[in-house]
Amino acid sequence: MRLNLGCGFNKSTGYVNVDSSDHCAPDIVHDLEQTPWPWADSSVDEIVMRHVLEHLGATTEVYFSVLREMYRVCRPDARITIVVPHPRHDDFLHDATHVRAVTLEGLSMFSRKNCEEWIAAGNANTPLAMIAGVDFDMVESEVTLEEPWKSKFELGSVSRTELILALKQYNNVAKELKAVLRVVKE
Ligand SMILES: C[S@@+](CC[C@H](N)C(=O)[O-])C[C@H]1O[C@@H](n2cnc3c(N)ncnc32)[C@H](O)[C@@H]1O
């Protein structure tokens, strides 16, 4: 089974399309903040969440409950594709239903391996994988740049070093973030 969660009007063939609102006539109407989700443990091969995770989990408790359900319903090695607006892009600010800033670094904190390495190194990072009871390994990540940065970087008038600095310093450099997570469980 493959799930397209928070499908909106972009429904995908071959997926169970799920949304909290019936305005887009999903296959299943379900509020993803309500747990447990209506799928059995380890029954899902793939989850796609495009522009959805930033709508979920205004509180840490609810955010963790969503991540726990993603982990619970997925089979070992399942893939979860997450696409979100970059939290420092205006797109993130405009939508009144955006409640959570999602970053690649933030998602990487839900990897047990990363947490164990940080603990061994004496780093102060909160071991979120252990606290939330999940384990996601980021196997792919992508940053979609906004113009004019995209063209300037492609043409070589902005170097990688300058781009990395700009991403830290300015708004509206990156438009979107994509992460593919592998579900690590027995
Ligand atoms: C920005 S739209 C993205 C729609 C689609 N994934 C796409 O890429 O076009 C966000 C969608 O998430 C849905 N959504 C928001 N909160 C939700 C929740 N708690 N449970 C399920 N769906 C939710 C909204 O109804 C909306 O259809």
Side-chain angles (χ1 to χ4, degrees), residues 1-4 13-18 43-48:
M1 178 169 41
R2 296 188 291 173
L3 300 177
N4 178 17
T13 309
Y15 289 74
V16 178
N17 297 287
V18 181
S43 61
V44 172
D45 302 296
E46 186 192 349
I47 291 179
V48 172

Side-chain angles (χ1 to χ4, degrees), residues 2-14:
R2 296 188 291 173
L3 300 177
N4 178 17
L5 301 181
C7 59
F9 289 95
N10 279 321
K11 284 174 264 177
S12 302
T13 309

